Amino acid sequence: MKRQILTFGLVGVINTATYYCLYLLFLTWLPYLAAHVLAFGISMVGSFFLNARFTYRTPPTWRKFLLFPLTNVTNFLITTAGVYVIVDVLHAGSHFAPLLASAAAIPVTFVVSRWVMLPKSIA
């Protein structure tokens, strides 16, 4: 489990860097929203295969591939709620709120990801 958590974190760093590089590349000829969606989609596919191969050491399947976006929805919901709490409830600054909220979302995202990739295991 410890190896999975560390690998999951490393894949997350790679995924974020991939997303950002693709976003900047696509931004040279696409509107920002299209660049964001395209970069997000490509990096999510890459994240799926990296997590299947290295984090969970499980063969990728269509079922897992189609369920994998649940991990991103989970991350988005927790991060959004966290930003709201940090900024509007705790009255902290908004500049670092997304980073703090994202850090809080990692454990839950890991559990959902593990459930998708290893459905017979207990997350």
Side-chain angles (χ1 to χ4, degrees), residues 64-109:
K64 293 173 191 173
F65 183 76
L66 294 173
L67 287 173
F68 193 74
L70 289 175
T71 64
N72 290 292
V73 170
T74 302
N75 189 304
F76 176 77
L77 293 174
I78 293 170
T79 302
T80 301
V83 167
Y84 171 77
V85 168
I86 291 166
V87 175
D88 286 339
V89 175
L90 300 177
H91 304 291
S94 60
H95 287 93
F96 294 106
L99 295 176
L100 295 171
S102 292
I106 291 170
V108 178
T109 305

Side-chain angles (χ1 to χ4, degrees), residues 21-95:
C21 289
L22 288 172
Y23 173 75
L24 292 176
L25 174 69
F26 296 147
L27 198 56
T28 61
W29 77 85
L30 292 173
Y32 77 92
L33 196 52
H36 163 70
V37 170
L38 188 57
F40 188 87
I42 292 170
S43 65
M44 186 172 54
V45 170
S47 177
F48 168 75
F49 285 106
L50 288 173
N51 275 305
R53 171 70 175 96
F54 297 107
T55 304
Y56 302 110
R57 298 180 180 173
T58 184
T61 65
W62 280 108
R63 179 189 178 281
K64 293 173 191 173
F65 183 76
L66 294 173
L67 287 173
F68 193 74
L70 289 175
T71 64
N72 290 292
V73 170
T74 302
N75 189 304
F76 176 77
L77 293 174
I78 293 170
T79 302
T80 301
V83 167
Y84 171 77
V85 168
I86 291 166
V87 175
D88 286 339
V89 175
L90 300 177
H91 304 291
S94 60
H95 287 93

